[in-house]
Amino acid sequence: MPETTPKGLTRLAFGGDYNPEQWPESVWQEDVRLMREAGVTMVSVGVFSWALLEPEPGRYDFGWLDRLMDLLHTHGIRADLATPTAAPPAWFYRDHPDALPVSREGVRYAFGSRAAICHSNAGYRAAAARITTELARRYGTHPALALWHVHNEYGVPVSACYCDGCAAHFRRWLAGRYGAGDATAAVAAVNEAWGTAFWGQRYGSLDEITPPRLTPTACNPAQQLDYRRFADATMRENYTAERDILHELAPGVPVTTNFMTALSQCDSVDYWAWGRETDLVTNDHYLITDGRRTHVNLAMAADLTRSVAGGAPWLLLEHSTSGVNWQARNPAKRPGEMARNSLAHVARGSDGAMFFQWRQSRRGAEKFHSAMLPHAGTDSRVWREAVRLGADLDSLAGLRGTRTVPDVAMLWDWQSWWAQNLEWRPSEDHDARERADSFYEALYDRHLTVDFAHPEADLSAYPLVVVPALYLATEAAGRALRTYAENGGTLVVSYFSGIVDEHDAVHPGAHPGALRDVLGLTVEEFSPLLAGESVRLTGPDGAAAGLTGDVWTEFVVPRGAETVWTYGDGPAAGRPAITRHRIGGGTAWYVSTRLDAAALDTVLAAACDDAGIAPRAELPRDVEVVRRTGDTGTYLFAINHTGDDAKVPLDAPGTELLTGERVAGRLAVPAGAVRVVRADA
Ligand code: GAL
């Protein structure tokens, strides 16, 4: 079994991407001195260093990295050493111009940035394997080495390449998926799966198939969906190839690659599959300042990361101390925000908090991106807060290895999301991610900690499971949900769920094919609303219920389900809007319109009642309370995102670890502060 925690790290991970190659070596001494001052325990090195490590094909210069690794070791700082394969050198492209990826429009990207990689390219694969092998041999037993960091954020920013090499690779992949390697046998199955009888797209041979490049009008959706799977699998092939080299040559050192689970930041990687391939799940998270509550988006990404890790501890490998530089407007974090962000990740399962990056760059594209050590130096708020955070994390070292306690589950599937985002759906105003965000936010506001689950997962551990817009649901997923409800679970399913199978083909019969049984209803027809239209719902007694929906309505026909709210107006006036089906020992709710936040909360309150989930004690909406538990005890995190002091009821008396105070009863959490209480045994 591979190791799953950074080797030799005995505290929580705290540090950042460290790019000393951007500085004269005289600066390195100051770096390690200041790292010690801040309590840094681990840094990520070498992420983009290929051109320095291999200045010419086959000629290596490891001198500087030797000195750096030794320096880190001397100062007791652990190294998360990267394979630099996200940034091939200029000489590589001179020899392999076809390794530059091609966009869907047929434009070849150029060198001069990073991550310009066609993952099917044999030259790239060979060169990546060589540099990985050299690094593994040289540093596999180095005493500073704690973790291998393969590549950087697969799938960001180029999600797929559409070149001729990828076309050939796609055909091989199709032969494997549909014909067990036999291209002739595969073609009939591809025609069937892609529904090529439609618009005369039938293929006589796999050789006729190309990537779903730019087409005059909507391109075959099943082909597009399979291409996304192929692109994801191709990146994963490259990741596992590097990982296997590292495992073989450097046994005992865990291997990771940094994910980007925030749904707004990477939409091209099926992290359910990737989570199974990493020894330690790591994630990068950046606040998107689009006017929404950034701490809710953060919590969602952290919960999703933990779920991808199967509930085990994971590690936040990158976030920012303050502003980023790649959004239209990049506000500085407010005082205390960095600590709240960091400790919210820890609350939700991260065994540490790391940053991009240690020292702010003077040159290059990211010189205005914040860092632990900013241009302003140590006489700065960011530095002082970083030092304080280092001390806080030090006092939390005991919780390493404990697990976050979930309350409820939400189904999420990247493949369903991909399918839903293709062209020509019933309404372009319907957005699967928006529904996921909204359902998550509603649960967050009820102070429920959410595990994400794959639609075919065993859900029996959860009293409540919510299913926002699971458009693609296999029959197996339908069966899993039915079993869950029959065995006493409570389910809340939103519209546009259970509609198609894995090939984007509508399940036979009335919608929602995969979920008709469990929901006890059929949908006769979708009737999405026009922009700006909304509908009112009436309650069980016929009175106006104060609930409104927009974007979507449909004609629901109950077949066992009871109608709880009815459409009061709009195209479906008088028909069921929200239903509830008693099935076996459980209950399945169905919501057929896009509810606003207040309406969604009303429905979730009723579902929580069914599930036996008592409302959480009176807590302000933006006071986040999460627990971790394990061998060393139970830890309650209280994160006050508001400008007012708050009181949080404690389950048990204990010790507040950041202040060292004894606490009992109601815990005082000052405005903007974080408190972590270890309950007395
Ligand atoms: C990450 C990336 C880092 C840095 C950072 C800036 O996505 O891995 O190298 O670019 O963004 O926010």
Side-chain angles (χ1 to χ4, degrees), residues 351-387:
D351 271 357
M354 310 230 342
F355 294 91
F356 176 85
Q357 62 177 328
W358 161 251
R359 183 187 277 272
Q360 194 165 19
S361 300
R362 280 191 56 220
R363 302 172 208 278
E366 296 190 313
K367 54 185 168 289
F368 300 119
H369 191 292
S370 60
M372 297 173 79
L373 183 58
H375 294 307
T378 53
D379 187 12
S380 61
R381 176 177 69 92
V382 164
W383 173 255
R384 282 186 286 274
E385 289 197 18
V387 172

Short mmCIF file of all heavy atoms in Angstrom, two decimals, residues 351-387:
data_model
loop_
_atom_site.label_atom_id
_atom_site.label_comp_id
_atom_site.label_asym_id
_atom_site.label_seq_id
_atom_site.Cartn_x
_atom_site.Cartn_y
_atom_site.Cartn_z
N ASP A 351 -5.50 18.53 5.83
CA ASP A 351 -4.48 18.44 6.88
C ASP A 351 -3.41 19.50 6.64
O ASP A 351 -2.21 19.21 6.56
CB ASP A 351 -3.88 17.03 6.94
CG ASP A 351 -4.67 16.13 7.89
OD1 ASP A 351 -5.63 16.63 8.52
OD2 ASP A 351 -4.34 14.94 7.99
N GLY A 352 -3.84 20.74 6.48
CA GLY A 352 -2.91 21.83 6.32
C GLY A 352 -3.48 22.89 5.40
O GLY A 352 -4.61 22.79 4.93
N ALA A 353 -2.69 23.93 5.17
CA ALA A 353 -3.12 25.02 4.29
C ALA A 353 -1.87 25.58 3.62
O ALA A 353 -0.99 26.12 4.29
CB ALA A 353 -3.83 26.11 5.09
N MET A 354 -1.80 25.41 2.31
CA MET A 354 -0.64 25.87 1.56
C MET A 354 -1.09 26.92 0.54
O MET A 354 -2.27 27.04 0.24
CB MET A 354 0.05 24.70 0.87
CG MET A 354 0.30 23.56 1.83
SD MET A 354 1.91 22.82 1.92
CE MET A 354 2.84 23.20 0.53
N PHE A 355 -0.12 27.65 0.03
CA PHE A 355 -0.44 28.80 -0.81
C PHE A 355 0.31 28.76 -2.13
O PHE A 355 1.39 28.18 -2.24
CB PHE A 355 -0.02 30.10 -0.10
CG PHE A 355 -0.81 30.38 1.14
CD1 PHE A 355 -0.38 29.91 2.37
CD2 PHE A 355 -2.00 31.07 1.06
CE1 PHE A 355 -1.13 30.14 3.51
CE2 PHE A 355 -2.75 31.31 2.20
CZ PHE A 355 -2.31 30.84 3.43
N PHE A 356 -0.24 29.44 -3.11
CA PHE A 356 0.56 29.92 -4.22
C PHE A 356 0.75 31.41 -3.92
O PHE A 356 -0.24 32.14 -3.94
CB PHE A 356 -0.12 29.76 -5.58
CG PHE A 356 0.75 30.37 -6.65
CD1 PHE A 356 1.77 29.64 -7.22
CD2 PHE A 356 0.58 31.70 -7.04
CE1 PHE A 356 2.62 30.23 -8.15
CE2 PHE A 356 1.43 32.28 -7.97
CZ PHE A 356 2.44 31.54 -8.52
N GLN A 357 1.92 31.86 -3.65
CA GLN A 357 3.17 31.19 -3.56
C GLN A 357 3.92 31.76 -2.35
O GLN A 357 3.42 32.65 -1.68
CB GLN A 357 3.98 31.40 -4.85
CG GLN A 357 4.32 32.86 -5.13
CD GLN A 357 5.18 33.00 -6.40
OE1 GLN A 357 5.98 32.14 -6.73
NE2 GLN A 357 5.04 34.11 -7.10
N TRP A 358 5.14 31.28 -2.11
CA TRP A 358 5.89 31.76 -0.94
C TRP A 358 6.28 33.23 -1.11
O TRP A 358 5.87 34.09 -0.36
CB TRP A 358 7.13 30.87 -0.73
CG TRP A 358 8.17 31.53 0.12
CD1 TRP A 358 9.38 32.01 -0.28
CD2 TRP A 358 8.07 31.83 1.52
NE1 TRP A 358 10.04 32.58 0.77
CE2 TRP A 358 9.27 32.49 1.89
CE3 TRP A 358 7.09 31.61 2.49
CZ2 TRP A 358 9.50 32.93 3.20
CZ3 TRP A 358 7.33 32.05 3.79
CH2 TRP A 358 8.51 32.70 4.13
N ARG A 359 7.11 33.52 -2.15
CA ARG A 359 7.60 34.89 -2.32
C ARG A 359 7.03 35.45 -3.62
O ARG A 359 7.11 34.80 -4.66
CB ARG A 359 9.14 34.89 -2.37
CG ARG A 359 9.76 36.27 -2.47
CD ARG A 359 11.26 36.17 -2.70
NE ARG A 359 12.05 35.97 -1.49
CZ ARG A 359 12.51 36.94 -0.70
NH1 ARG A 359 12.27 38.21 -0.98
NH2 ARG A 359 13.25 36.67 0.36
N GLN A 360 6.46 36.63 -3.55
CA GLN A 360 5.83 37.23 -4.73
C GLN A 360 6.86 37.47 -5.83
O GLN A 360 7.96 37.97 -5.56
CB GLN A 360 5.18 38.56 -4.31
CG GLN A 360 4.21 39.13 -5.32
CD GLN A 360 3.34 40.22 -4.72
OE1 GLN A 360 3.66 40.80 -3.67
NE2 GLN A 360 2.23 40.51 -5.38
N SER A 361 6.52 37.09 -7.05
CA SER A 361 7.46 37.21 -8.18
C SER A 361 7.62 38.67 -8.60
O SER A 361 6.67 39.45 -8.57
CB SER A 361 6.92 36.45 -9.39
OG SER A 361 6.75 35.10 -9.09
N ARG A 362 8.83 39.02 -9.05
CA ARG A 362 9.03 40.37 -9.59
C ARG A 362 8.70 40.42 -11.07
O ARG A 362 8.41 41.48 -11.63
CB ARG A 362 10.50 40.79 -9.41
CG ARG A 362 10.80 41.29 -8.00
CD ARG A 362 12.18 41.93 -7.95
NE ARG A 362 12.30 42.99 -8.92
CZ ARG A 362 13.38 43.24 -9.66
NH1 ARG A 362 14.47 42.48 -9.53
NH2 ARG A 362 13.41 44.22 -10.52
N ARG A 363 8.86 39.29 -11.73
CA ARG A 363 8.66 39.25 -13.19
C ARG A 363 7.62 38.20 -13.55
O ARG A 363 7.27 37.37 -12.74
CB ARG A 363 9.98 38.88 -13.88
CG ARG A 363 11.12 39.83 -13.57
CD ARG A 363 12.43 39.27 -14.12
NE ARG A 363 13.56 39.75 -13.35
CZ ARG A 363 14.13 40.94 -13.51
NH1 ARG A 363 13.69 41.76 -14.44
NH2 ARG A 363 15.13 41.32 -12.74
N GLY A 364 7.22 38.24 -14.82
CA GLY A 364 6.33 37.20 -15.30
C GLY A 364 4.86 37.55 -15.10
O GLY A 364 4.51 38.62 -14.59
N ALA A 365 4.02 36.63 -15.48
CA ALA A 365 2.58 36.89 -15.56
C ALA A 365 1.90 37.01 -14.20
O ALA A 365 0.77 37.48 -14.12
CB ALA A 365 1.92 35.77 -16.37
N GLU A 366 2.59 36.57 -13.13
CA GLU A 366 1.89 36.52 -11.85
C GLU A 366 2.49 37.46 -10.80
O GLU A 366 2.37 37.23 -9.61
CB GLU A 366 1.84 35.07 -11.35
CG GLU A 366 1.02 34.22 -12.33
CD GLU A 366 0.71 32.82 -11.84
OE1 GLU A 366 1.63 32.16 -11.33
OE2 GLU A 366 -0.44 32.40 -11.98
N LYS A 367 3.12 38.55 -11.28
CA LYS A 367 3.79 39.44 -10.32
C LYS A 367 2.81 40.25 -9.47
O LYS A 367 3.20 40.80 -8.45
CB LYS A 367 4.79 40.36 -11.03
CG LYS A 367 4.23 41.16 -12.17
CD LYS A 367 5.36 41.93 -12.86
CE LYS A 367 4.95 42.53 -14.18
NZ LYS A 367 4.75 41.50 -15.23
N PHE A 368 1.55 40.30 -9.90
CA PHE A 368 0.55 41.00 -9.07
C PHE A 368 -0.31 40.03 -8.27
O PHE A 368 -1.32 40.41 -7.70
CB PHE A 368 -0.31 41.92 -9.94
CG PHE A 368 0.52 42.97 -10.64
CD1 PHE A 368 0.57 43.04 -12.02
CD2 PHE A 368 1.31 43.85 -9.90
CE1 PHE A 368 1.36 43.98 -12.66
CE2 PHE A 368 2.10 44.80 -10.53
CZ PHE A 368 2.13 44.87 -11.91
N HIS A 369 0.07 38.76 -8.27
CA HIS A 369 -0.65 37.76 -7.47
C HIS A 369 -0.06 37.77 -6.06
O HIS A 369 1.16 37.76 -5.90
CB HIS A 369 -0.47 36.38 -8.12
CG HIS A 369 -1.36 35.32 -7.57
ND1 HIS A 369 -1.23 34.82 -6.29
CD2 HIS A 369 -2.39 34.64 -8.13
CE1 HIS A 369 -2.15 33.88 -6.10
NE2 HIS A 369 -2.85 33.75 -7.20
N SER A 370 -0.91 37.78 -5.05
CA SER A 370 -0.41 37.83 -3.67
C SER A 370 0.45 36.61 -3.34
O SER A 370 0.42 35.61 -4.05
CB SER A 370 -1.59 37.88 -2.70
OG SER A 370 -2.37 36.71 -2.87
N ALA A 371 1.22 36.72 -2.28
CA ALA A 371 2.10 35.64 -1.82
C ALA A 371 2.21 35.73 -0.31
O ALA A 371 1.72 36.68 0.31
CB ALA A 371 3.47 35.78 -2.46
N MET A 372 2.85 34.72 0.31
CA MET A 372 3.04 34.79 1.76
C MET A 372 3.98 35.93 2.11
O MET A 372 3.80 36.63 3.10
CB MET A 372 3.61 33.45 2.27
CG MET A 372 2.66 32.29 2.04
SD MET A 372 3.41 30.70 2.44
CE MET A 372 3.28 30.69 4.22
N LEU A 373 5.02 36.08 1.29
CA LEU A 373 5.98 37.16 1.48
C LEU A 373 5.81 38.13 0.31
O LEU A 373 6.30 37.90 -0.78
CB LEU A 373 7.40 36.56 1.50
CG LEU A 373 8.54 37.54 1.77
CD1 LEU A 373 8.37 38.26 3.10
CD2 LEU A 373 9.87 36.78 1.76
N PRO A 374 5.06 39.22 0.54
CA PRO A 374 4.70 40.10 -0.58
C PRO A 374 5.84 41.05 -0.95
O PRO A 374 6.84 41.14 -0.24
CB PRO A 374 3.51 40.87 -0.03
CG PRO A 374 3.70 40.87 1.45
CD PRO A 374 4.45 39.62 1.81
N HIS A 375 5.67 41.77 -2.06
CA HIS A 375 6.66 42.79 -2.44
C HIS A 375 6.93 43.72 -1.27
O HIS A 375 8.05 44.17 -1.06
CB HIS A 375 6.14 43.62 -3.63
CG HIS A 375 5.99 42.85 -4.91
ND1 HIS A 375 7.01 42.11 -5.45
CD2 HIS A 375 4.94 42.72 -5.76
CE1 HIS A 375 6.59 41.55 -6.59
NE2 HIS A 375 5.35 41.90 -6.79
N ALA A 376 5.89 44.01 -0.49
CA ALA A 376 6.04 44.94 0.64
C ALA A 376 6.93 44.38 1.74
O ALA A 376 7.31 45.10 2.67
CB ALA A 376 4.66 45.29 1.21
N GLY A 377 7.24 43.09 1.70
CA GLY A 377 8.14 42.50 2.69
C GLY A 377 7.43 42.13 3.98
O GLY A 377 6.21 41.98 4.03
N THR A 378 8.24 42.05 5.05
CA THR A 378 7.68 41.56 6.31
C THR A 378 6.91 42.65 7.08
O THR A 378 6.17 42.33 8.00
CB THR A 378 8.80 41.00 7.22
OG1 THR A 378 9.80 42.01 7.35
CG2 THR A 378 9.41 39.75 6.62
N ASP A 379 7.10 43.91 6.69
CA ASP A 379 6.33 44.96 7.35
C ASP A 379 5.01 45.13 6.61
O ASP A 379 4.74 46.15 5.98
CB ASP A 379 7.13 46.27 7.36
CG ASP A 379 6.42 47.34 8.19
OD1 ASP A 379 5.46 46.97 8.92
OD2 ASP A 379 6.79 48.51 8.09
N SER A 380 4.20 44.08 6.67
CA SER A 380 2.95 44.10 5.91
C SER A 380 1.92 43.25 6.65
O SER A 380 2.26 42.32 7.38
CB SER A 380 3.17 43.51 4.51
OG SER A 380 3.60 42.16 4.62
N ARG A 381 0.67 43.60 6.41
CA ARG A 381 -0.42 42.84 7.04
C ARG A 381 -0.39 41.39 6.59
O ARG A 381 -0.55 40.45 7.40
CB ARG A 381 -1.76 43.47 6.66
CG ARG A 381 -2.95 42.73 7.18
CD ARG A 381 -4.25 43.45 6.84
NE ARG A 381 -4.56 43.42 5.43
CZ ARG A 381 -5.31 42.48 4.86
NH1 ARG A 381 -5.80 41.49 5.57
NH2 ARG A 381 -5.58 42.53 3.56
N VAL A 382 -0.17 41.17 5.28
CA VAL A 382 -0.21 39.80 4.77
C VAL A 382 0.84 38.95 5.48
O VAL A 382 0.57 37.82 5.91
CB VAL A 382 0.00 39.78 3.24
CG1 VAL A 382 0.36 38.38 2.76
CG2 VAL A 382 -1.26 40.27 2.52
N TRP A 383 2.05 39.48 5.64
CA TRP A 383 3.09 38.70 6.31
C TRP A 383 2.70 38.41 7.76
O TRP A 383 2.80 37.29 8.24
CB TRP A 383 4.44 39.43 6.24
CG TRP A 383 5.47 38.75 7.07
CD1 TRP A 383 5.96 39.14 8.28
CD2 TRP A 383 6.11 37.49 6.78
NE1 TRP A 383 6.88 38.23 8.76
CE2 TRP A 383 6.99 37.20 7.85
CE3 TRP A 383 6.02 36.59 5.72
CZ2 TRP A 383 7.77 36.05 7.89
CZ3 TRP A 383 6.81 35.44 5.75
CH2 TRP A 383 7.67 35.18 6.84
N ARG A 384 2.23 39.46 8.46
CA ARG A 384 1.89 39.26 9.86
C ARG A 384 0.77 38.21 9.99
O ARG A 384 0.81 37.35 10.87
CB ARG A 384 1.47 40.59 10.51
CG ARG A 384 2.66 41.48 10.85
CD ARG A 384 2.25 42.74 11.61
NE ARG A 384 1.60 43.72 10.75
CZ ARG A 384 2.25 44.64 10.02
NH1 ARG A 384 3.58 44.71 10.07
NH2 ARG A 384 1.58 45.49 9.26
N GLU A 385 -0.19 38.26 9.07
CA GLU A 385 -1.27 37.26 9.15
C GLU A 385 -0.76 35.87 8.81
O GLU A 385 -1.24 34.87 9.35
CB GLU A 385 -2.43 37.67 8.22
CG GLU A 385 -3.19 38.87 8.75
CD GLU A 385 -4.57 39.06 8.10
OE1 GLU A 385 -5.09 38.11 7.50
OE2 GLU A 385 -5.10 40.18 8.21
N ALA A 386 0.22 35.81 7.90
CA ALA A 386 0.78 34.49 7.55
C ALA A 386 1.50 33.89 8.76
O ALA A 386 1.36 32.70 9.06
CB ALA A 386 1.72 34.62 6.36
N VAL A 387 2.26 34.73 9.46
CA VAL A 387 2.98 34.24 10.64
C VAL A 387 1.99 33.77 11.71
O VAL A 387 2.15 32.71 12.33
CB VAL A 387 3.91 35.36 11.19
CG1 VAL A 387 4.53 34.96 12.52
CG2 VAL A 387 4.99 35.70 10.16
#
